[in-house]
Amino acid sequence: MNRILKTTVIAAAVIGVTGVAQAREQVRIVGSSTVYPFASYVAEEFGATTDYPTPVIESTGSGGGLRLFCNGVGDDTVDITNASRRMKPSEFERCAENGVTDITEAFIGYDGIAFAQSSTNEAMDVTREQIFLALAAQVPVEGELVDNPYTQWSEIDDALPAREIAVYGPPTTSGTRDAFEELVMEAASEDMEAYGGEGYTDIRTDGAFIDAGENDNLIVQRLAENTDAFGIFGYSFLEENADTLIGSSIDGVAPTPDAIGSGEYPVSRSLFFYVKNQHADEVPAMDAYAKMFMSEMMIGDLGYLKGIGLIPAPQETREEARQVVESHETIELADLK
């Protein structure tokens, strides 16, 4: 099913809205836009094949979802949050301060961050350094850090086309943004002398990078309208729109399932959801939903989610992750450091 259609099938819930009886029957889920299509698929199947109603899901970004998740325990708080990065120690501590003290981390598989453009163009392969120089707020010029002067890709490297630098990407609340800053910006700059041996992650705000919000479908639409631009989003969106988009190789490695799953593709990351176990008694559907999500039917090598872009983890890793969820294993602060 087309992802845009899916978003109309499962309406985003406004957290804390009325209907206590219904809310206790329905699982409330927020979080990552990257995990959203996978969670939506599971939710549809869950609603169609069990006696429970279809869970309601809101795409808030990983950071926004974890904030809602950590607000506390009770009827007006969410049950599960999706994340395209691991929970941060500071988020865990905020959860604990608000009484959310029994959390299970569910690892579902892998995804890559695509750097993609309209398929009306020829492929433009890039390095992480070239992407960094295009998007960093300050770059080294003749040994000094200056506000980024580059307006065309050819100014960075004359082997690149004379196209305007315009990149649609996620906001600061997004796990995709966090991963991009770590895996591209920080990785490309940590050995640059001008930054003092530390990774630099500040992204320019002069219009070359366009904050496109949490809905990655909007980035896909904008790339069709502005064929000179690039977009930053999860690999699953590239795969689903392969008829209209092409992804760039990064550091000589193309974004393919095998390269992402093996870690060879340099912008690969892990995907998760987090379960608030303190809601288990009041929301019995939550445990059943989590188990379905972790099933081989969903995240296995032949699972449904692979068909919409999830890169499955090795079988042994899947089995370990499944056991963590089924036993309601509680994550500790030390696990996140």
Side-chain angles (χ1 to χ4, degrees):
M1 184 185 295
N2 179 278
R3 179 173 290 117
I4 297 176
L5 179 59
K6 279 186 178 181
T7 61
T8 65
V9 173
I10 300 181
V14 177
I15 303 307
V17 207
T18 68
V20 172
Q22 182 186 37
R24 296 335 304 155
E25 293 173 1
Q26 279 185 304
V27 183
R28 295 184 188 141
I29 306 169
V30 293
S32 166
S33 61
T34 299
V35 180
Y36 178 84
F38 306 133
S40 295
Y41 192 104
V42 178
E44 290 176 17
E45 185 73 10
F46 186 75
T49 62
T50 73
D51 293 331
Y52 297 112
T54 302
V56 287
I57 307 176
E58 183 177 6
S59 178
T60 62
S62 297
L66 281 159
R67 277 196 297 275
L68 290 167
F69 182 82
C70 291
N71 274 346
V73 176
D75 285 346
D76 59 346
T77 64
V78 300
D79 308 308
I80 291 173
T81 189
N82 301 317
S84 57
R85 58 161 172 81
R86 209 169 192 199
M87 176 185 282
K88 297 176 181 178
S90 60
E91 291 165 334
F92 180 93
E93 290 168 346
R94 182 174 180 274
C95 270
E97 290 170 0
N98 291 330
V100 183
T101 56
D102 189 353
I103 304 166
T104 291
E105 178 182 77
F107 164 63
I108 65 170
Y110 302 105
D111 180 46
I113 297 177
F115 191 71
Q117 60 176 324
S118 167
S119 58
T120 60
N121 297 304
E122 294 184 4
M124 188 179 103
D125 298 331
V126 291
T127 65
R128 281 180 288 182
E129 181 177 349
Q130 289 168 339
I131 298 174
F132 173 85
L133 291 174
L135 297 181
Q138 291 197 316
V139 296
V141 175
E142 297 180 354
E144 299 291 332
L145 286 179
V146 300
D147 291 343
N148 197 321
Y150 302 125
T151 60
Q152 294 191 332
W153 288 97
S154 57
E155 295 170 357
I156 295 169
D157 188 323
D158 58 15
L160 298 176
R163 280 169 56 183
E164 178 187 7
I165 297 172
V167 179
Y168 293 100
T172 54
T173 54
S174 168
T176 300
R177 172 72 168 260
D178 288 337
F180 178 80
E181 289 180 356
E182 176 186 350
L183 298 173
V184 175
M185 303 295 287
E186 185 176 322
S189 61
E190 60 188 357
D191 293 329
M192 292 184 181
E193 186 176 341
Y195 299 103
E198 296 183 2
Y200 180 83
T201 59
D202 291 354
I203 291 179
R204 62 197 297 183
T205 58
D206 59 357
F209 178 88
I210 304 103
D211 183 332
E214 293 289 356
N215 187 344
D216 289 349
N217 281 308
L218 294 180
I219 300 180
V220 172
Q221 293 171 10
R222 290 179 181 182
L223 295 182
E225 298 163 0
N226 181 359
T227 56
D228 280 343
F230 284 84
I232 297 168
F233 42 75
Y235 168 78
S236 62
F237 289 82
L238 173 60
E239 181 172 76
E240 186 166 311
N241 295 279
D243 56 334
T244 60
L245 298 178
I246 53 173
S248 294
S249 292
I250 297 180
D251 292 344
V253 182
T256 66
D258 286 346
I260 293 168
S262 69
E264 181 184 5
Y265 183 65
V267 200
S268 303
R269 39 103 179 250
S270 300
L271 304 180
F272 305 89
F273 65 87
Y274 291 88
V275 181
K276 191 178 293 180
N277 293 324
Q278 287 152 286
H279 283 189
D281 291 339
E282 294 182 2
V283 191
M286 183 179 70
D287 188 49
Y289 166 84
K291 288 180 178 178
M292 176 178 283
F293 205 140
M294 299 302 294
S295 68
E296 283 294 286
M297 176 179 71
M298 291 298 172
I299 66 170
D301 288 329
L302 300 177
Y304 292 134
L305 301 187
K306 182 178 180 180
I308 58 171
L310 181 72
I311 311 301
Q315 182 175 354
E316 182 178 350
T317 303
R318 296 196 304 269
E319 291 172 354
E320 291 173 356
R322 187 174 301 118
Q323 181 57 36
V324 166
V325 172
E326 291 181 354
S327 63
H328 306 102
E329 185 175 315
T330 300
I331 193 169
E332 303 292 343
L333 180 59
D335 299 327
L336 302 173
K337 293 182 176 179

